[in-house]
Amino acid sequence: MTAVTTQQTGTPARPRRSWRRRLGSARIYVGALIVLLWGLGPFYWMAVTAFRDPAYTFDPTPWPTHITLDNFRDVFDTSRGNDFGKALLNSVIIGTASTAIALVIGVMAAYALARLTFKGRYLVSGVILSASMFPVVVLVTPLFQLFTDIGWIGRYQALILPNISFVLPLTVYILASFFADLPWELEEAARIDGATRLQAFRLVMLPLAAPAVFTTAILAFIAAVNEYLLARVLSGSDTEPVTVAIARFSGNNPQVEPYASIMAAGTLVTVPLVILVLVFQRRIISGLTAGGVKS
């Protein structure tokens, strides 16, 4: 009956529309696959090389061959002057301290920019965001001279303070948009019940901002751990992070770069971050999209 009706009315057949939908879906999946390969391809090749015998480092085979764990043993071998374990601990200390301080300052700054009305508020927001665009290479010489004069070269504070200035704009940018979207009625209700502005912020608004705070903490920690240029200049043998330690890796032959060991070290650093993002991906997505739609 349906076929007869279609022929009588002369309406276009539905399968053609279905093929268009399938073609559109196929384009989306192909695009997502390309982006996935583009993003994870280097990490996959790094992991494959990390498990490969150093004699076959440049083997173009796209799957693991000549598998060995010697590269990972060489990473923690201190006989050649490499102290990867200590560098990993330094990165955790620097990243955690930078993230914690940036969150404390950024949460309060973001709340003030989103909730308080004062003269020059948008100018302050513009200055904070413009600070994230400042080239790092310009700061190397001034910071090196400053920290040399006050005796901070080779100490943790020489690495933590610059990292705070880098991750703080990101913290303010994410949290300010979230706080601006939270309903004012919640804070007003707490104030009516007798809470001060600080108590309303700490007991009502801050718990609601937990997804955005969690997202900001992960992104800030990754940014602080990945910093290399200033760490290379301002760190010492006792405070160098993994980014500097990996770049200084040495192998059995001083004239041959230990690429396999470098790949193994990079894998050890990257895998925990990837697992962290995969485990908390829902919180990260909810935090990034929070404040994006006005109710």
Side-chain angles (χ1 to χ4, degrees):
M1 184 67 180
T2 305
V4 174
T5 305
T6 302
Q7 293 178 357
Q8 292 177 352
T9 58
T11 56
R14 292 184 178 180
R16 184 178 302 175
R17 187 176 300 176
S18 176
W19 277 108
R20 291 180 180 178
R21 292 180 179 178
R22 293 180 181 179
L23 182 59
S25 301
R27 291 176 180 176
I28 294 175
Y29 285 116
V30 170
L33 180 62
I34 293 175
V35 174
L36 181 65
L37 293 177
W38 181 269
L40 296 182
F43 172 73
Y44 171 77
W45 192 255
M46 177 179 66
V48 168
T49 308
F51 286 97
R52 184 171 289 167
D53 189 279
Y56 299 90
T57 300
F58 301 101
D59 186 354
T61 306
W63 51 80
T65 58
H66 307 92
I67 298 176
T68 180
L69 297 178
D70 292 340
N71 299 322
F72 294 93
R73 298 189 187 96
D74 293 340
V75 167
F76 294 97
D77 186 6
T78 59
S79 61
R80 304 187 186 98
N82 305 323
D83 198 347
F84 181 77
K86 187 175 182 180
L88 189 61
L89 178 61
N90 290 336
S91 289
V92 173
I93 294 174
I94 295 170
T96 302
S98 302
T99 302
I101 298 174
L103 279 179
V104 172
I105 300 175
V107 166
M108 295 185 291
Y111 182 80
L113 292 174
R115 289 302 200 185
L116 303 181
T117 302
F118 57 92
K119 189 175 181 180
R121 181 177 63 173
Y122 296 105
L123 178 62
V124 174
S125 301
V127 171
I128 293 176
L129 292 179
S130 62
S132 62
M133 306 176 187
F134 204 78
V136 180
V137 67
V138 180
L139 302 175
V140 174
T141 301
L143 288 178
F144 180 79
Q145 185 63 46
L146 174 63
F147 292 157
T148 300
D149 294 339
I150 62 179
W152 279 13
I153 296 296
R155 298 187 178 183
Y156 287 115
Q157 57 265 35
L159 304 174
I160 294 174
L161 290 181
N163 282 335
I164 293 174
S165 65
F166 298 148
V167 301
L168 188 57
L170 175 67
T171 303
V172 176
Y173 178 76
I174 296 178
L175 294 178
S177 62
F178 182 81
F179 281 126
D181 194 49
L182 291 179
W184 284 84
E185 291 79 5
L186 297 175
E187 183 179 358
E188 292 175 355
R191 297 289 301 277
I192 292 175
D193 289 340
T196 62
R197 181 179 292 272
L198 181 60
Q199 290 175 333
F201 164 72
R202 180 172 58 88
L203 300 177
V204 179
M205 309 305 289
L206 190 58
L208 293 176
V213 173
F214 189 84
T215 301
T216 305
I218 294 179
L219 298 178
F221 181 81
I222 294 176
V225 170
N226 288 338
E227 203 284 321
Y228 170 76
L229 183 58
L230 289 177
R232 181 67 179 87
V233 178
L234 303 178
S235 65
S237 58
D238 294 331
T239 59
E240 66 177 15
V242 291
T243 52
V244 180
I246 293 175
R248 293 179 59 254
F249 261 15
S250 59
N252 294 325
N253 190 347
Q255 297 179 352
V256 178
E257 192 75 16
Y259 292 107
S261 299
I262 293 175
M263 293 298 182
T267 302
L268 290 175
V269 174
T270 308
V271 166
L273 297 179
V274 173
I275 294 176
L276 184 67
V277 173
L278 291 177
V279 171
F280 298 103
Q281 59 177 334
R282 291 190 177 181
R283 283 185 173 270
I284 294 175
I285 294 174
S286 64
L288 289 175
T289 56
V293 179
K294 294 289 184 180
S295 58

